Amino acid sequence: MSITVETYPTLREAASAMRDGTRFLGGGTMVVRGLNFGAQTYDRVVRSTDAALRDIRSDGTGLHIGAGVTMAQIMQTASTDFLAPVARAVGGPAVRNMATVGGNLFARAPYGDFGTALLALDATVQMADGQSLAIETFYAHRAGSRGLVAAVTVPRPASGAFRFAKITRTRPKGASLLCIAAHLPGGTRISGARLAFGAMGPTPLRAKEAEAALDGAALDPAGIQRALDTCLNGLDPQDDALASAWYRRAVAPVHLRRLLLGEET
Amino acid sequence: MPKTPIRFTLNGAETGVFANSGANLLDVLRREAGDLTPKQGCAQGGCGACSVMIDGELHLACLTLAETAEGRRIDTVASLETGARLHPLQKAFAEGFAAQCGFCSPGMIMAAKALLDTTPNPTREQVAEAISGNLCRCTGYEPIINAILTAAAELRGRGAA
Ligand SMILES: Cc1cc2nc3c(=O)[nH]c(=O)nc-3n(C[C@H](O)[C@H](O)[C@H](O)COP(=O)(O)OP(=O)(O)OC[C@H]3O[C@@H](n4cnc5c(N)ncnc54)[C@H](O)[C@@H]3O)c2cc1C
């Protein structure tokens, strides 16, 4: 198949060049992989050299992270320190130099670790056409989406309120059997918890019953029990080469318990 | 098939090629620029045999769209030796049995170089992390980790001299 590659100076121009059979190029770790095997459903690749895609800035409420920011950049930037453990969990060093935040939002399970963290943090997805979408809405409509992501905005969590665990078969690098991101505001009595699971459905998903069960709870064995009992509700894990859906269901509450109690996962 | 002209600096030399549109950088380096040191293992980012530096940063050439290399500085393992003199990493790999079949070595050495460029005195754990994207099916990794630590010590000694 003959491939066309188009480069635009601004994201807006790139966005208006999108149509069927076209993929936008982030870091290319998935797009170029598709091209290498020739089985892809696109023959046109659109990219943008817009410098704003690589911006990270803090404003009053939180952080603005351009869609073209890489995992390595997240690890090297002081203002994104709370996301560094998540970025470090994506692939190996070369992948992290390439993989972008925008691309991670479109990664299919078992990938999408960074997006899982953004879901737990109530991030907002800024589209190139100016629309802002709550990340949960973005994920719900991702399959049919052709719009380009310009950036995400992430409220900064209170120190220590954000936790992340990635469960893999190999270390230090491997794809998720599952990953869990937890935002646990409130200190001794949790209020407004967010629990997001990656690789437990086609997109990262929130465990909303478990979130509600943590309201007013303390992070001790008794306080978290109801959250553990309900955390699988609404999740939809799949079988893949790494693990069966059955296995993922069996171990998810165990890893959630360890994460909530601050034990090693 | 349409061809795209691409210019970059390869191992210090200005290089211009005509690439098939949509080709990856690994194909272009090997077929058009004639640098056979980066290898194609899996073509999906899983093995690291094609690891090269782009503007001093470790990248997988097989997942890099060739067009994005325009104007960039690309260094492969061929950039390391000066004439017949091997780089300390190459020497330590050869002497420490860190290369057996040798297929992973060019990528492995570039991953090691990326680490040592920023972390001259790494721990064993940092070395294991730095090569975690590179597969070796011969050595069991221990000789590779040892070789990287040996090369790091030699490079530090040079810096002090
Ligand atoms: C060896 C290997 C290991 C990996 N390990 C992990 C891992 O541990 N965890 C993990 O989460 N992922 C992993 N991945 C998957 C992938 O690298 C990451 O998810 C990465 O963040 C994808 O980003 P990208 O920029 O490379 O995406 P690309 O390949 O550039 O794009 C992926 C998809 O997103 C779309 N897209 C990209 N940017 C935008 C945008 N701004 N707006 C709209 N659409 C966009 C593209 O059109 C495409 O459909 C791995 C991949 C490889 C090859």
Side-chain angles (χ1 to χ4, degrees):
Chain A
M1 195 188 316
S2 169
I3 309 294
T4 318
V5 179
E6 292 169 23
T7 304
Y8 294 91
T10 66
L11 186 66
R12 195 170 285 273
E13 287 161 274
S16 51
M18 296 301 292
R19 52 174 187 264
D20 285 344
T22 305
R23 283 289 179 287
F24 181 75
L25 184 78
T29 58
M30 305 310 290
V31 170
V32 180
R33 185 157 146 174
L35 293 177
N36 289 349
F37 287 85
Q40 82 284 359
T41 54
Y42 45 95
D43 59 5
R44 199 164 151 266
V45 174
V46 163
R47 58 189 280 259
S48 172
T49 49
D50 201 328
L53 283 169
R54 301 288 299 252
D55 265 1
I56 301 180
R57 25 169 228 277
S58 310
D59 54 34
T61 52
L63 289 163
H64 166 105
I65 304 174
V69 166
T70 62
M71 297 299 134
Q73 233 184 312
I74 296 279
M75 289 165 64
Q76 289 152 10
T77 306
S79 60
T80 48
D81 55 353
F82 61 100
L83 287 167
V86 185
R88 192 176 300 116
V90 172
V95 166
R96 295 197 285 269
N97 285 334
M98 303 173 72
T100 66
V101 170
N104 205 272
L105 288 172
F106 289 88
R108 291 204 210 128
Y111 295 147
D113 300 325
F114 200 82
T116 305
L118 294 176
L119 180 60
L121 288 164
D122 284 319
T124 305
V125 180
Q126 312 290 352
M127 305 301 290
D129 65 5
Q131 251 196 108
S132 293
L133 299 172
I135 186 162
E136 207 185 354
T137 313
F138 167 84
Y139 272 131
H141 300 285
R142 182 179 76 170
S145 153
R146 205 196 282 166
L148 296 188
V149 174
V152 293
T153 47
V154 191
R156 174 173 264 283
S159 163
F162 176 70
R163 300 183 190 180
F164 177 77
K166 173 169 168 173
I167 318 305
T168 61
R169 288 207 189 278
T170 53
R171 286 187 197 202
K173 167 183 168 289
S176 280
L177 301 184
L178 60 104
C179 67
I180 314 174
H183 184 207
L184 304 165
T188 47
R189 293 282 160 196
I190 299 304
S191 135
R194 289 286 181 274
L195 297 175
F197 282 84
M200 291 294 285
T203 66
L205 293 170
R206 275 172 58 187
K208 293 191 181 176
E209 278 182 58
E211 291 174 356
L214 284 178
D215 224 34
L219 293 180
D220 57 31
I224 67 169
Q225 190 55 49
R226 217 154 49 80
L228 302 185
D229 293 342
T230 54
C231 73
L232 293 172
N233 294 347
L235 303 185
D236 180 22
Q238 310 290 311
D239 292 337
D240 63 22
L242 298 168
S244 63
W246 175 88
Y247 177 82
R248 289 188 155 98
R249 286 183 172 279
V251 300
V254 176
H255 291 294
L256 178 61
R257 174 173 53 85
R258 293 180 188 164
L259 184 71
L260 293 177
L261 295 181
E263 294 170 0
E264 203 175 327
T265 48
Chain B
M1 189 172 288
K3 297 269 188 183
T4 311
I6 305 174
R7 284 156 309 166
F8 46 81
T9 307
L10 176 60
N11 300 329
E14 292 303 318
T15 304
V17 297
F18 287 99
N20 289 332
S21 187
N24 67 49
L25 179 62
L26 179 62
D27 266 356
V28 165
L29 291 177
R30 291 181 58 89
R31 288 173 212 246
E32 316 294 339
D35 184 345
L36 297 176
T37 60
K39 305 299 183 213
Q40 176 167 319
C42 68
Q44 50 182 324
C47 77
C50 66
S51 303
V52 301
M53 303 276 205
I54 301 183
D55 291 338
E57 208 180 57
L58 193 70
H59 282 242
L60 296 167
C62 81
L63 297 185
T64 302
L65 195 66
E67 274 92 343
T68 64
E70 173 69 35
R72 316 279 291 269
R73 197 179 84 242
I74 296 158
D75 293 300
T76 69
V77 78
S79 68
L80 293 187
E81 76 240 32
T82 26
R85 238 195 33 242
L86 294 180
H87 184 275
L89 275 166
Q90 293 170 306
K91 191 163 138 268
F93 267 61
E95 290 175 356
F97 299 103
Q100 285 185 26
C101 87
F103 197 80
C104 74
S105 307
M108 201 62 93
I109 289 176
M110 292 318 273
K113 171 92 173 27
L115 171 71
L116 300 187
D117 283 350
T118 58
T119 314
N121 192 6
T123 62
R124 206 174 176 82
E125 209 168 40
Q126 284 173 315
V127 173
E129 164 65 40
I131 60 167
S132 63
N134 297 69
L135 295 182
C136 171
R137 288 297 182 241
C138 302
T139 63
Y141 300 101
E142 286 298 304
I144 294 178
I145 296 172
N146 291 336
I148 295 169
L149 290 169
T150 302
E154 186 182 336
L155 284 163
R156 287 199 306 280
R158 279 192 189 177

